[in-house]
Amino acid sequence: MSKKIKILIAGQTGMVGSAIKKQLKKKFYIIDYKRNFLDFTNQEKVFKWFKNNKPHVVINAAGKVGGVLDNSLNKDEYLYENLMIGLNLANAALKFNAKQFINIGSACIYPKKKFRTIHEKHLLTSELEPTNEGYALSKISVLKYCEYIKRKFNKNFITLMPSNLYGLGDNFDLRKSHVIPALVKKCYNAKKKNFKSFEVWGNGKSKRQFLHADDLAKIIEKLILKKTNFFFANVAGKDFVSIKNLSKLIKEIMNYKGKIMYNKSYPNGAPERKLSDQTLRKFGWSPKITLKVGLKKYIENFVSSQIKF
C-alpha cells in the first residue's frame, strides 16, 4: 500500500465520499477533480477524464440520494441519474484497465417482502418497495453490470450494499433528506422555537439498521486491491431500531421536552430491513460505532453549525 496507488472517489464531497476520502488519504493518493467540470452522467467527459488520469482504483460514491418522499415523487430522476453515473464509471474503469472498481449500492435494492434477516441471495426474489423503485432499479442494474464484468473478464469489480447511512456532511434539506437528518433538524427547530411537538412521517413502526459512514469507509480501506470471491456484499449497521425509537433517542440526546407526533398520511417505506453481514465478517470487519455514540457526535456537529439554543 502506498501513495503510488491512485484512487478516484466519485462523489468525494458528499457525506459518504468525504468519509471514504478521510479514511483513505493517509495511505493512498486521492485524485481530486472539479465537480463542475466532470459530469459523471456524461460518458464522453468521463472517458476523457479516465484517459488523462488513469486511476488504479475507482470508488463510486456519487449519485442522487434522498428520503422516501423525494424518492417516491421523482423516480425518473433517481433511475436516470444513478444509472448513468454507475454505468459510465464502471465502463470507464473497464475500458481504461483500472485494477479495482468498488460500487456503493444500497439496501433498498432488496425486495419489499419481509425477511427475518436479508442475505445477498434474496436479491431479485420478489417485487421492490414501490416508493424507491426507481433508485433501487438503478442500483440493481449497476450491481449486475459489475457482476457480469467480473465474471466475463475476471476483473476486481464488487458492490457493497450498506444499511441506512448517516455521518458528517449529511443533507439536512427536509424536502430531500434521509430519516436521521430530517428528524434531527425537526427536533432542533422544535426546541429552538419552543414548539410543543415535532412531526415524524409515517407511523414510526418501520425498522432500520443504521450505519455510520466512517464504518463503511473502514471496510472499503480493508478491501482496497484485495481479490474477492463475491460479487456483492451487505454492509450491516450495528443497531436495528424502529423509527419511533430512533425519534425518542434523538429527542433524548437533544434534551427536547416536547412530544413526537406521527403523520400517518406519509409513506412508511419497507416495514423492516435488516441485513446479514456474514460475507464481510470473513474479512475481519464489523461495525464499531453504535447509534447512540454516533448520533451524539452527529448532533453536536449539526448544532454547532446552527445558531446556539
Side-chain angles (χ1 to χ4, degrees):
M1 305 295 184
S2 75
K3 291 280 186 177
K4 292 181 181 178
I5 296 172
K6 298 190 297 182
I7 298 180
L8 166 64
I9 304 171
Q12 60 187 248
T13 60
M15 178 192 70
V16 176
S18 60
I20 297 169
K21 183 176 180 179
K22 181 180 70 175
Q23 184 69 29
L24 299 186
K25 68 180 182 180
K26 303 166 191 175
K27 293 184 179 179
F28 308 103
Y29 176 74
I30 309 300
I31 309 173
D32 288 319
Y33 62 88
K34 292 183 179 179
R35 186 176 178 181
N36 293 339
F37 296 97
L38 182 54
D39 178 4
F40 292 122
T41 66
N42 185 310
Q43 186 182 71
E44 183 180 354
K45 289 183 178 180
V46 171
F47 277 14
K48 183 178 179 180
W49 188 93
F50 269 72
K51 183 178 180 180
N52 292 333
N53 291 276
K54 294 184 174 58
H56 301 115
V57 177
V58 180
I59 300 169
N60 177 23
K64 182 178 177 65
V65 295
V68 61
L69 184 63
D70 198 55
N71 263 276
S72 63
L73 295 175
N74 300 293
K75 294 177 185 178
D76 56 329
E77 296 176 17
Y78 279 89
L79 174 59
Y80 177 79
E81 289 187 34
N82 290 296
L83 187 60
M84 292 301 100
I85 289 169
L87 293 182
N88 284 340
L89 285 168
N91 191 227
L94 174 65
K95 181 179 178 66
F96 294 96
N97 201 31
K99 296 180 184 298
Q100 187 176 38
F101 183 80
I102 300 177
N103 179 47
I104 309 299
S106 169
C108 77
I109 67 172
Y110 287 112
K112 180 181 179 181
K113 181 179 177 181
K114 183 177 177 181
F115 297 100
R116 184 180 296 273
T117 303
I118 301 173
H119 296 265
E120 290 86 353
K121 67 182 180 181
H122 291 133
L123 181 65
L124 296 175
T125 57
S126 184
E127 70 270 20
L128 299 167
E129 163 59 40
T131 54
N132 55 26
E133 185 180 78
Y135 182 72
L137 285 171
S138 72
K139 292 297 184 180
I140 291 170
S141 297
V142 178
L143 178 155
K144 297 304 287 186
Y145 184 57
C146 291
E147 178 182 333
Y148 300 153
I149 289 173
K150 187 179 178 79
R151 288 183 187 276
K152 185 174 182 178
F153 301 105
N154 193 31
K155 298 288 287 185
N156 195 7
F157 280 39
I158 55 173
T159 298
L160 300 176
M161 279 90 66
S163 50
N164 290 51
L165 287 160
Y166 70 103
L168 301 183
D170 217 336
N171 177 12
F172 289 90
D173 182 342
L174 292 179
R175 297 168 298 174
K176 301 177 180 180
S177 60
H178 287 119
V179 63
I180 284 183
L183 291 177
V184 167
K185 187 168 184 178
K186 286 179 180 180
C187 187
Y188 171 82
N189 287 341
K191 181 171 182 177
K192 180 183 176 183
K193 298 177 182 179
N194 294 315
F195 292 160
K196 293 181 179 179
S197 66
F198 70 93
E199 182 184 75
V200 176
W201 289 353
N203 59 22
K205 294 180 181 179
S206 296
K207 298 183 76 174
R208 296 289 184 270
Q209 275 174 317
F210 293 96
L211 176 72
H212 198 285
D214 288 352
D215 271 335
L216 174 62
K218 287 172 184 174
I219 183 56
I220 289 174
E221 179 185 25
K222 209 171 188 62
L223 288 169
I224 293 290
L225 294 186
K226 284 190 173 68
K227 279 283 188 177
T228 63
N229 58 5
F230 59 82
F231 301 104
F232 53 96
N234 294 331
V235 191
K238 197 172 183 68
D239 295 271
F240 182 55
V241 299
S242 68
I243 302 304
K244 182 177 182 180
N245 286 336
L246 171 66
S247 303
K248 288 180 177 179
L249 179 58
I250 290 170
K251 176 184 170 182
E252 175 190 327
I253 293 171
M254 299 192 81
N255 195 29
Y256 172 65
K257 303 302 182 183
K259 295 182 179 180
I260 300 170
M261 303 299 291
Y262 297 94
N263 189 335
K264 298 177 183 178
S265 66
Y266 284 97
N268 293 303
E272 287 190 6
R273 195 178 290 131
K274 183 180 182 183
L275 304 181
S276 165
D277 62 357
Q278 293 305 304
T279 300
L280 290 182
R281 283 188 180 271
K282 295 176 183 178
F283 284 85
W285 176 88
S286 62
K288 304 299 181 188
I289 304 172
T290 65
L291 184 60
K292 189 168 186 177
V293 169
L295 272 180
K296 281 184 177 179
K297 186 174 181 181
Y298 180 92
I299 289 171
E300 285 172 6
N301 184 266
F302 171 75
V303 171
S304 69
S305 68
Q306 310 294 310
I307 299 173
K308 300 295 183 182
F309 291 140

